[in-house]
Amino acid sequence: MKVIGLTGSIGMGKSTTAAMFREAGVPVYDADAAVHDLYDQGGAAVAPVGAAFPGVVKDGRVDREELRKRVLSDPAALQRLNGIVHPLVGEDRIGFFKAAEQLGADMVVLDIPLLFETNGHERVDYVVVVSAPPEMQRERVLARPGMTPERLDAILAQQTPDAEKRARAHFIVETGKGLAHAREQVFHIIAAVRASAG
């Protein structure tokens, strides 16, 4: 079973691209959704994150906005948080792989925003980077509720630059040319991965 790591900076269209792989019948693991579950009531991350960052747990769940404020401009705090969350996500991912094997999947996609930043690219067979022109990226992100140019710049400062991601990718999905063009690229990637496995 081939493992594809799907990544891309904020606002590049990664979630839309992940949905296209899913529609094509490829199982997709969403790391963000897994973290969301871990932070929710009863989630395995609630107690350890609450102990490491007093005050971020409210009503039995991690307040993501409060946590974001604590770690956004503090690399040491972010590292401490990642040390708690990444092993829990890893355990969750094992269950996903088992389910995909039982389905007889010949490939899976791991949707991981910080694939390069966490060295996840070393544990996949192929890296797919979702990309769009910078002005389109900014326009998309700044249209989100509560987003400001300063917050966007702080997020981008923590992410591997798009040009570097593109240089290190096996495949690139350009989302700036419309959905049909992006979907065509996804089908091409699936075909290429199957051909290399054959």
Side-chain angles (χ1 to χ4, degrees):
M1 186 167 66
K2 293 293 182 185
V3 181
I4 298 168
L6 179 70
T7 194
S9 299
I10 185 170
M12 292 299 198
K14 187 176 54 58
S15 298
T16 303
T17 304
M20 290 174 181
F21 276 101
R22 209 176 270 116
E23 286 161 17
V26 179
V28 175
Y29 180 80
D30 184 337
D32 268 356
V35 171
H36 208 279
D37 290 344
L38 289 168
Y39 285 171
D40 211 348
Q41 283 184 333
V46 175
V49 170
F53 302 94
V56 300
V57 174
K58 296 171 185 174
D59 301 321
R61 60 171 57 90
V62 174
D63 183 325
R64 291 171 70 110
E65 188 58 28
E66 185 59 39
L67 182 61
R68 187 192 66 77
K69 287 178 195 166
R70 298 272 191 98
V71 303
L72 192 59
S73 52
D74 184 345
L78 185 60
Q79 196 171 6
R80 195 159 73 247
L81 176 64
N82 288 341
I84 296 167
V85 175
H86 288 161
L88 295 172
V89 172
E91 286 172 29
D92 185 65
R93 197 181 299 139
I94 290 167
F96 164 79
F97 277 119
K98 284 182 181 165
E101 276 174 18
Q102 286 167 356
L103 286 170
D106 59 349
M107 71 181 80
V108 294
V109 169
L110 303 182
D111 176 352
I112 305 177
L114 300 177
L115 185 72
F116 289 116
E117 294 83 351
T118 57
N119 292 321
H121 62 288
E122 295 171 0
R123 297 185 292 277
V124 299
D125 298 304
Y126 300 97
V127 172
V128 175
V129 168
V130 183
S131 185
E135 60 278 6
M136 187 175 282
Q137 176 192 27
R138 289 191 80 82
E139 190 180 313
R140 287 173 179 171
V141 179
L142 291 173
R144 296 179 184 182
M147 185 56 73
T148 63
E150 295 75 25
R151 185 172 165 193
L152 171 56
D153 290 338
I155 292 168
L156 290 174
Q158 291 184 340
Q159 297 185 342
T160 301
D162 181 54
E164 186 181 332
K165 283 179 179 155
R166 291 171 67 102
R168 296 166 73 182
H170 295 93
F171 302 99
I172 297 170
V173 175
E174 301 276 3
T175 62
K177 298 173 183 172
L179 291 175
H181 181 75
R183 189 171 281 108
E184 196 178 300
Q185 293 170 90
V186 167
F187 288 145
H188 164 74
I189 291 165
I190 293 169
V193 170
R194 286 206 169 115
S196 72

mmCIF file of all heavy atoms in Angstrom, residues 2 4 20-21 24 26 106-107 109 126 128 171 183-198:
data_model
loop_
_atom_site.group_PDB
_atom_site.id
_atom_site.type_symbol
_atom_site.label_atom_id
_atom_site.label_comp_id
_atom_site.label_asym_id
_atom_site.label_seq_id
_atom_site.Cartn_x
_atom_site.Cartn_y
_atom_site.Cartn_z
ATOM 1 N N LYS A 2 0.729 2.073 -0.999
ATOM 2 C CA LYS A 2 1.538 3.284 -1.110
ATOM 3 C C LYS A 2 0.942 4.396 -0.225
ATOM 4 O O LYS A 2 -0.278 4.531 -0.122
ATOM 5 C CB LYS A 2 1.592 3.775 -2.564
ATOM 6 C CG LYS A 2 2.337 2.826 -3.497
ATOM 7 C CD LYS A 2 3.807 2.763 -3.153
ATOM 8 C CE LYS A 2 4.575 1.855 -4.106
ATOM 9 N NZ LYS A 2 5.980 1.707 -3.695
ATOM 10 N N ILE A 4 0.760 8.407 0.444
ATOM 11 C CA ILE A 4 0.946 9.744 -0.137
ATOM 12 C C ILE A 4 0.786 10.778 0.979
ATOM 13 O O ILE A 4 -0.223 10.782 1.683
ATOM 14 C CB ILE A 4 -0.105 10.016 -1.235
ATOM 15 C CG1 ILE A 4 0.038 9.017 -2.385
ATOM 16 C CG2 ILE A 4 0.000 11.447 -1.754
ATOM 17 C CD1 ILE A 4 -1.136 9.030 -3.362
ATOM 18 N N MET A 20 -11.015 15.565 -3.182
ATOM 19 C CA MET A 20 -10.953 14.986 -4.535
ATOM 20 C C MET A 20 -10.348 13.579 -4.506
ATOM 21 O O MET A 20 -10.804 12.690 -5.229
ATOM 22 C CB MET A 20 -10.135 15.894 -5.458
ATOM 23 C CG MET A 20 -10.830 17.194 -5.792
ATOM 24 S SD MET A 20 -9.750 18.299 -6.735
ATOM 25 C CE MET A 20 -10.840 19.727 -6.926
ATOM 26 N N PHE A 21 -9.323 13.381 -3.682
ATOM 27 C CA PHE A 21 -8.757 12.028 -3.524
ATOM 28 C C PHE A 21 -9.810 11.091 -2.930
ATOM 29 O O PHE A 21 -9.973 9.958 -3.377
ATOM 30 C CB PHE A 21 -7.525 12.061 -2.613
ATOM 31 C CG PHE A 21 -6.239 12.416 -3.321
ATOM 32 C CD1 PHE A 21 -5.705 13.689 -3.245
ATOM 33 C CD2 PHE A 21 -5.556 11.453 -4.062
ATOM 34 C CE1 PHE A 21 -4.518 14.018 -3.892
ATOM 35 C CE2 PHE A 21 -4.362 11.766 -4.714
ATOM 36 C CZ PHE A 21 -3.842 13.045 -4.628
ATOM 37 N N ALA A 24 -12.323 10.023 -5.360
ATOM 38 C CA ALA A 24 -11.760 9.056 -6.311
ATOM 39 C C ALA A 24 -11.568 7.678 -5.678
ATOM 40 O O ALA A 24 -11.036 6.767 -6.315
ATOM 41 C CB ALA A 24 -10.425 9.575 -6.847
ATOM 42 N N VAL A 26 -9.831 6.977 -2.755
ATOM 43 C CA VAL A 26 -8.604 6.796 -1.979
ATOM 44 C C VAL A 26 -8.881 7.190 -0.521
ATOM 45 O O VAL A 26 -9.329 8.311 -0.266
ATOM 46 C CB VAL A 26 -7.452 7.666 -2.543
ATOM 47 C CG1 VAL A 26 -6.185 7.489 -1.706
ATOM 48 C CG2 VAL A 26 -7.180 7.325 -4.006
ATOM 49 N N ASP A 106 -5.042 0.228 -2.286
ATOM 50 C CA ASP A 106 -3.671 0.124 -2.812
ATOM 51 C C ASP A 106 -2.855 1.375 -2.498
ATOM 52 O O ASP A 106 -1.646 1.411 -2.674
ATOM 53 C CB ASP A 106 -3.660 -0.162 -4.316
ATOM 54 C CG ASP A 106 -4.367 0.919 -5.131
ATOM 55 O OD1 ASP A 106 -5.054 1.780 -4.535
ATOM 56 O OD2 ASP A 106 -4.243 0.893 -6.368
ATOM 57 N N MET A 107 -3.553 2.428 -2.004
ATOM 58 C CA MET A 107 -2.858 3.649 -1.578
ATOM 59 C C MET A 107 -3.738 4.388 -0.589
ATOM 60 O O MET A 107 -4.955 4.209 -0.571
ATOM 61 C CB MET A 107 -2.522 4.545 -2.780
ATOM 62 C CG MET A 107 -3.703 5.221 -3.411
ATOM 63 S SD MET A 107 -3.257 6.241 -4.860
ATOM 64 C CE MET A 107 -3.104 4.975 -6.134
ATOM 65 N N VAL A 109 -3.950 8.482 1.482
ATOM 66 C CA VAL A 109 -3.445 9.853 1.554
ATOM 67 C C VAL A 109 -3.448 10.293 3.011
ATOM 68 O O VAL A 109 -4.449 10.115 3.712
ATOM 69 C CB VAL A 109 -4.326 10.813 0.716
ATOM 70 C CG1 VAL A 109 -3.971 12.266 1.010
ATOM 71 C CG2 VAL A 109 -4.160 10.525 -0.777
ATOM 72 N N TYR A 126 5.303 9.216 -1.375
ATOM 73 C CA TYR A 126 5.204 10.356 -2.291
ATOM 74 C C TYR A 126 4.712 11.577 -1.524
ATOM 75 O O TYR A 126 3.900 11.449 -0.610
ATOM 76 C CB TYR A 126 4.209 10.076 -3.432
ATOM 77 C CG TYR A 126 4.567 8.895 -4.277
ATOM 78 C CD1 TYR A 126 3.981 7.648 -4.044
ATOM 79 C CD2 TYR A 126 5.493 9.009 -5.317
ATOM 80 C CE1 TYR A 126 4.313 6.542 -4.819
ATOM 81 C CE2 TYR A 126 5.833 7.909 -6.098
ATOM 82 C CZ TYR A 126 5.246 6.685 -5.841
ATOM 83 O OH TYR A 126 5.585 5.597 -6.599
ATOM 84 N N VAL A 128 2.710 15.143 -2.129
ATOM 85 C CA VAL A 128 1.907 15.982 -3.020
ATOM 86 C C VAL A 128 1.744 17.340 -2.338
ATOM 87 O O VAL A 128 1.253 17.413 -1.211
ATOM 88 C CB VAL A 128 0.517 15.360 -3.293
ATOM 89 C CG1 VAL A 128 -0.334 16.318 -4.124
ATOM 90 C CG2 VAL A 128 0.655 14.016 -3.993
ATOM 91 N N PHE A 171 4.801 15.511 -6.596
ATOM 92 C CA PHE A 171 3.712 16.008 -7.443
ATOM 93 C C PHE A 171 3.218 17.337 -6.872
ATOM 94 O O PHE A 171 3.255 17.543 -5.651
ATOM 95 C CB PHE A 171 2.527 15.037 -7.468
ATOM 96 C CG PHE A 171 2.848 13.651 -7.955
ATOM 97 C CD1 PHE A 171 3.069 12.617 -7.056
ATOM 98 C CD2 PHE A 171 2.932 13.383 -9.320
ATOM 99 C CE1 PHE A 171 3.360 11.334 -7.496
ATOM 100 C CE2 PHE A 171 3.218 12.098 -9.774
ATOM 101 C CZ PHE A 171 3.438 11.077 -8.863
ATOM 102 N N ARG A 183 -8.762 18.667 -10.242
ATOM 103 C CA ARG A 183 -9.243 17.276 -10.224
ATOM 104 C C ARG A 183 -8.497 16.428 -11.267
ATOM 105 O O ARG A 183 -8.154 15.279 -11.009
ATOM 106 C CB ARG A 183 -10.753 17.254 -10.487
ATOM 107 C CG ARG A 183 -11.377 15.884 -10.282
ATOM 108 C CD ARG A 183 -12.888 15.916 -10.323
ATOM 109 N NE ARG A 183 -13.468 16.402 -9.073
ATOM 110 C CZ ARG A 183 -14.054 17.588 -8.919
ATOM 111 N NH1 ARG A 183 -14.159 18.414 -9.952
ATOM 112 N NH2 ARG A 183 -14.553 17.948 -7.767
ATOM 113 N N GLU A 184 -8.220 17.013 -12.394
ATOM 114 C CA GLU A 184 -7.460 16.319 -13.451
ATOM 115 C C GLU A 184 -6.060 15.937 -12.939
ATOM 116 O O GLU A 184 -5.566 14.844 -13.195
ATOM 117 C CB GLU A 184 -7.346 17.270 -14.651
ATOM 118 C CG GLU A 184 -6.932 16.605 -15.952
ATOM 119 C CD GLU A 184 -6.914 17.641 -17.081
ATOM 120 O OE1 GLU A 184 -7.962 18.250 -17.359
ATOM 121 O OE2 GLU A 184 -5.838 17.834 -17.647
ATOM 122 N N GLN A 185 -5.435 16.862 -12.195
ATOM 123 C CA GLN A 185 -4.107 16.584 -11.643
ATOM 124 C C GLN A 185 -4.162 15.458 -10.606
ATOM 125 O O GLN A 185 -3.277 14.612 -10.541
ATOM 126 C CB GLN A 185 -3.536 17.854 -10.995
ATOM 127 C CG GLN A 185 -3.233 18.956 -12.007
ATOM 128 C CD GLN A 185 -2.912 20.258 -11.310
ATOM 129 O OE1 GLN A 185 -1.768 20.537 -11.005
ATOM 130 N NE2 GLN A 185 -3.929 21.052 -11.014
ATOM 131 N N VAL A 186 -5.230 15.438 -9.794
ATOM 132 C CA VAL A 186 -5.406 14.383 -8.792
ATOM 133 C C VAL A 186 -5.517 13.020 -9.481
ATOM 134 O O VAL A 186 -4.869 12.045 -9.074
ATOM 135 C CB VAL A 186 -6.634 14.667 -7.894
ATOM 136 C CG1 VAL A 186 -7.021 13.436 -7.075
ATOM 137 C CG2 VAL A 186 -6.355 15.852 -6.971
ATOM 138 N N PHE A 187 -6.327 12.945 -10.551
ATOM 139 C CA PHE A 187 -6.459 11.682 -11.289
ATOM 140 C C PHE A 187 -5.117 11.252 -11.872
ATOM 141 O O PHE A 187 -4.767 10.063 -11.861
ATOM 142 C CB PHE A 187 -7.507 11.819 -12.411
ATOM 143 C CG PHE A 187 -8.926 11.885 -11.917
ATOM 144 C CD1 PHE A 187 -9.868 12.675 -12.560
ATOM 145 C CD2 PHE A 187 -9.332 11.161 -10.804
ATOM 146 C CE1 PHE A 187 -11.182 12.742 -12.102
ATOM 147 C CE2 PHE A 187 -10.635 11.222 -10.339
ATOM 148 C CZ PHE A 187 -11.576 12.013 -10.990
ATOM 149 N N HIS A 188 -4.345 12.218 -12.366
ATOM 150 C CA HIS A 188 -3.019 11.922 -12.924
ATOM 151 C C HIS A 188 -2.101 11.345 -11.843
ATOM 152 O O HIS A 188 -1.366 10.378 -12.086
ATOM 153 C CB HIS A 188 -2.414 13.195 -13.524
ATOM 154 C CG HIS A 188 -0.930 13.087 -13.766
ATOM 155 N ND1 HIS A 188 -0.394 12.345 -14.797
ATOM 156 C CD2 HIS A 188 0.129 13.603 -13.078
ATOM 157 C CE1 HIS A 188 0.934 12.413 -14.733
ATOM 158 N NE2 HIS A 188 1.262 13.167 -13.702
ATOM 159 N N ILE A 189 -2.138 11.915 -10.652
ATOM 160 C CA ILE A 189 -1.290 11.440 -9.548
ATOM 161 C C ILE A 189 -1.666 10.009 -9.169
ATOM 162 O O ILE A 189 -0.794 9.144 -9.010
ATOM 163 C CB ILE A 189 -1.412 12.382 -8.330
ATOM 164 C CG1 ILE A 189 -0.773 13.739 -8.650
ATOM 165 C CG2 ILE A 189 -0.752 11.764 -7.090
ATOM 166 C CD1 ILE A 189 -1.146 14.849 -7.682
ATOM 167 N N ILE A 190 -2.965 9.740 -9.049
ATOM 168 C CA ILE A 190 -3.421 8.390 -8.688
ATOM 169 C C ILE A 190 -2.949 7.381 -9.731
ATOM 170 O O ILE A 190 -2.426 6.309 -9.392
ATOM 171 C CB ILE A 190 -4.965 8.360 -8.544
ATOM 172 C CG1 ILE A 190 -5.386 9.198 -7.326
ATOM 173 C CG2 ILE A 190 -5.473 6.927 -8.432
ATOM 174 C CD1 ILE A 190 -6.874 9.462 -7.231
ATOM 175 N N ALA A 191 -3.082 7.746 -11.002
ATOM 176 C CA ALA A 191 -2.654 6.853 -12.088
ATOM 177 C C ALA A 191 -1.153 6.629 -12.053
ATOM 178 O O ALA A 191 -0.664 5.502 -12.242
ATOM 179 C CB ALA A 191 -3.072 7.433 -13.440
ATOM 180 N N ALA A 192 -0.386 7.685 -11.788
ATOM 181 C CA ALA A 192 1.078 7.592 -11.748
ATOM 182 C C ALA A 192 1.540 6.706 -10.592
ATOM 183 O O ALA A 192 2.472 5.898 -10.745
ATOM 184 C CB ALA A 192 1.690 8.975 -11.627
ATOM 185 N N VAL A 193 0.897 6.846 -9.434
ATOM 186 C CA VAL A 193 1.261 6.026 -8.268
ATOM 187 C C VAL A 193 0.932 4.562 -8.535
ATOM 188 O O VAL A 193 1.728 3.670 -8.232
ATOM 189 C CB VAL A 193 0.543 6.541 -6.995
ATOM 190 C CG1 VAL A 193 0.714 5.562 -5.836
ATOM 191 C CG2 VAL A 193 1.085 7.912 -6.611
ATOM 192 N N ARG A 194 -0.233 4.315 -9.143
ATOM 193 C CA ARG A 194 -0.603 2.911 -9.468
ATOM 194 C C ARG A 194 0.368 2.314 -10.483
ATOM 195 O O ARG A 194 0.768 1.159 -10.368
ATOM 196 C CB ARG A 194 -2.028 2.877 -10.040
ATOM 197 C CG ARG A 194 -3.066 3.090 -8.969
ATOM 198 C CD ARG A 194 -4.418 2.477 -9.270
ATOM 199 N NE ARG A 194 -5.224 2.539 -8.052
ATOM 200 C CZ ARG A 194 -6.336 3.249 -7.920
ATOM 201 N NH1 ARG A 194 -6.816 3.934 -8.931
ATOM 202 N NH2 ARG A 194 -6.974 3.265 -6.780
ATOM 203 N N ALA A 195 0.769 3.125 -11.467
ATOM 204 C CA ALA A 195 1.700 2.639 -12.494
ATOM 205 C C ALA A 195 3.058 2.297 -11.873
ATOM 206 O O ALA A 195 3.673 1.282 -12.228
ATOM 207 C CB ALA A 195 1.875 3.693 -13.592
ATOM 208 N N SER A 196 3.519 3.115 -10.933
ATOM 209 C CA SER A 196 4.831 2.858 -10.320
ATOM 210 C C SER A 196 4.781 1.638 -9.419
ATOM 211 O O SER A 196 5.786 0.945 -9.239
ATOM 212 C CB SER A 196 5.272 4.072 -9.507
ATOM 213 O OG SER A 196 4.498 4.198 -8.325
ATOM 214 N N ALA A 197 3.592 1.338 -8.862
ATOM 215 C CA ALA A 197 3.451 0.172 -7.990
ATOM 216 C C ALA A 197 3.327 -1.117 -8.786
ATOM 217 O O ALA A 197 3.639 -2.200 -8.312
ATOM 218 C CB ALA A 197 2.239 0.335 -7.070
ATOM 219 N N GLY A 198 2.867 -0.961 -10.048
ATOM 220 C CA GLY A 198 2.649 -2.142 -10.896
ATOM 221 C C GLY A 198 3.930 -2.716 -11.381
ATOM 222 O O GLY A 198 4.036 -3.880 -11.728
#
